Amino acid sequence: MTDRWARAEERYRQREADRRYRRDDRAWDRGGRDAGGRAAGSQDDWDDYYDDDTNVIPRYTDDDELEYDGAPYEDDGYDDELDYEEEPEPQAPPPRAQRSSARKPAKAKEARQARGSRKRSRAASRKAAERKRKRRNMWLIGGVLVVLLVGAVGFAVKKLAGEFGAPEDFAGPAGPLVVVQVHPGDTSSQIAQTMVDKGVVASTGAFFQAAVRNSNMSSVQPGYYQIPSQSPAAEAVSALLGKNARVGNLVISEGRQLHDQHDVNTGARKEGIYTKIAAASCIGTGAQQKCVTYEQLDAAGSSGDLAALGVPSWAEQSVREAPDRKRQIEGLIAAGTLDFDPSGTPQQILRQLITASAASYESTGLLKSGVETELSPYETLIAASLVEREALPQDMPKVARVIVNRLEVEQPLQFDSTVNYSLDRTEVATTDDDRETRTPWNTYAMSGLPANPISAPSLNALRAMENPEPGNWLYFVTIDQKGTTLFTESYSEHLRNIEKARQSGILDSGR
């Protein structure tokens, strides 16, 4: 025992002198062998260290401590320094079984700690990457917001510059007159664009600014207006609102005919539709004024090119067979208020008016109206023109029934209005000679309807003809200047009613 202690003490002193010693890891490797070929951890080695009575035991290092994340520990060839302050009492090493069982829990604990450390390290890495990604996204979002902010500021600056800067405008003086159309429902902005397109103003902004300053802009009606081109915006607005600005506005009274007629009693001229169109077509004033003439319209209305005139398909065949070309489009221009472009040719003007009138007629159901009356659309229009000339509005459905009843029994209509149609001088009463003169329109001299309409019917007359009031009437006569009309199916009663009309003086002739 003394020798062993001496040897151990000698070894300790030697290590103390060298401060460090190189340890042979193979001697501590679980499966390795020492230089002598003995298995590491054999009983002989333990005898050298544990069988003596010393407490100086070599430092044991577990394999798990020599490896991190799968990388083997590289030995630097030196053992850790052992401090020795006090000579320990020799102790016998514990039995091998006890040493093995003591090392296993320690190794398991150390392994769990190592795994926990690695998990914490990976979690920390993930959190660091997440923070880095969030910072990158924040920078990206911040960059986009900066770009949007710069764009918004630029747009605002540009808008403010446009609002406070004067828009392009003509300085004047104004140029020749042009015709501008205001469509139904047009706003000030839309009118401004039309003005620019027609060369009236230099920019929509200039016109709009001038328009909003004028409260009368809300009174502008759909239609056509003459305005000087290249006008300063303020002057263009004033011209649009001027009392003579509107052109191409046509008002046709009910029962008006294409051509002028004169009253037998007064000699006054009753202006026809062509005269009305000519007056509404004038552009400019004084020596610079330009108008379409009555004669030009009469010539255009007599054209054989019915498609160019806008004659609807339901009237085309009858118009083509008209006995008088000058009257072929009679009735195709409706009564009421119409607008046309006066800068067009006479043919273009008539086409515009006929197309608008046909659409108005068709809106009443004209194309489907002949089921009960057995009349074609064009025949219905002819009969409606007779109703217009013969009856007051309250009597129109009854007069329409008289026409249908007489046509069914093939009885001549005998309307004085059809006699007057071809006469230059007209009156309510007609002479025997006039009634006996055979014409394509005189319903005293023939049965059936006239060859074409004899006037511009109102929509009320057209609706009355499409839906006549039920009744058996065959005769009617107006008996006074108030327009009182009596209806009957008895001819003898009708004669008595005619006598009442003569007594009131309504049937007195001026010829």
Side-chain angles (χ1 to χ4, degrees), residues 343-364:
S343 62
T345 66
Q347 189 178 62
Q348 290 171 339
I349 291 173
L350 293 178
R351 176 184 177 84
Q352 192 174 1
L353 294 172
I354 291 173
T355 301
S357 298
S360 179
Y361 290 152
E362 292 169 10
S363 70
T364 66

Side-chain angles (χ1 to χ4, degrees), residues 278-289:
S281 70
C282 295
I283 301 174
T285 58
Q288 302 298 322
Q289 188 178 68

Side-chain angles (χ1 to χ4, degrees), residues 435-477:
R435 290 192 293 269
E436 292 173 359
T437 302
R438 188 174 183 85
T439 70
W441 308 280
N442 184 358
T443 57
Y444 276 94
M446 66 174 191
S447 61
L449 294 168
N452 54 254
I454 62 171
S455 68
S458 65
L459 295 185
N460 285 335
L462 191 61
R463 292 189 183 96
M465 198 63 236
E466 293 167 357
N467 300 283
E469 185 173 328
N472 297 321
W473 311 292
L474 289 173
Y475 308 97
F476 69 93
V477 63

Side-chain angles (χ1 to χ4, degrees), residues 363-419:
S363 70
T364 66
L366 173 65
L367 301 183
K368 300 178 181 179
S369 63
V371 176
E372 195 269 335
T373 62
E374 297 182 355
L375 299 176
S376 69
Y378 189 70
E379 289 173 336
T380 301
L381 183 64
I382 294 174
S385 72
L386 302 182
V387 171
E388 189 66 58
R389 293 300 298 267
E390 292 285 337
L392 295 175
Q394 65 269 21
D395 295 323
M396 286 180 175
K398 287 185 176 182
V399 172
R401 175 54 64 184
V402 170
I403 293 173
V404 172
N405 291 343
R406 285 199 176 193
L407 291 176
E408 286 181 352
V409 298
E410 296 184 355
Q411 180 177 343
L413 296 178
Q414 296 180 330
F415 288 172
D416 289 304
S417 58
T418 63
V419 176

Side-chain angles (χ1 to χ4, degrees), residues 228-377:
S229 60
Q230 299 183 350
S231 296
E235 294 181 11
V237 172
S238 297
L240 177 64
L241 298 174
K243 63 179 182 178
N244 297 321
R246 191 166 183 181
V247 292
N249 182 236
L250 179 65
V251 179
I252 300 175
S253 60
E254 294 85 351
R256 186 80 57 171
Q257 297 175 343
L258 286 175
H259 301 92
D260 295 347
Q261 291 182 322
H262 296 81
D263 186 85
V264 168
N265 296 309
T266 65
R269 185 182 68 164
K270 185 176 182 179
E271 293 180 342
I273 293 174
Y274 285 153
T275 298
K276 294 286 188 181
I277 296 173
S281 70
C282 295
I283 301 174
T285 58
Q288 302 298 322
Q289 188 178 68
K290 295 180 180 179
C291 306
V292 174
T293 66
Y294 177 98
E295 291 75 20
Q296 289 174 327
L297 292 166
D298 189 25
S302 303
S303 171
D305 190 353
L306 303 186
L309 289 172
V311 174
S313 59
W314 48 264
E316 187 175 349
Q317 184 61 35
S318 297
V319 171
R320 197 174 300 282
E321 297 173 354
D324 185 354
R325 287 291 169 206
K326 288 185 175 295
R327 303 177 187 273
Q328 67 177 358
I329 63 170
E330 188 79 79
L332 293 181
I333 298 177
T337 301
L338 299 169
D339 288 290
F340 64 91
D341 185 352
S343 62
T345 66
Q347 189 178 62
Q348 290 171 339
I349 291 173
L350 293 178
R351 176 184 177 84
Q352 192 174 1
L353 294 172
I354 291 173
T355 301
S357 298
S360 179
Y361 290 152
E362 292 169 10
S363 70
T364 66
L366 173 65
L367 301 183
K368 300 178 181 179
S369 63
V371 176
E372 195 269 335
T373 62
E374 297 182 355
L375 299 176
S376 69

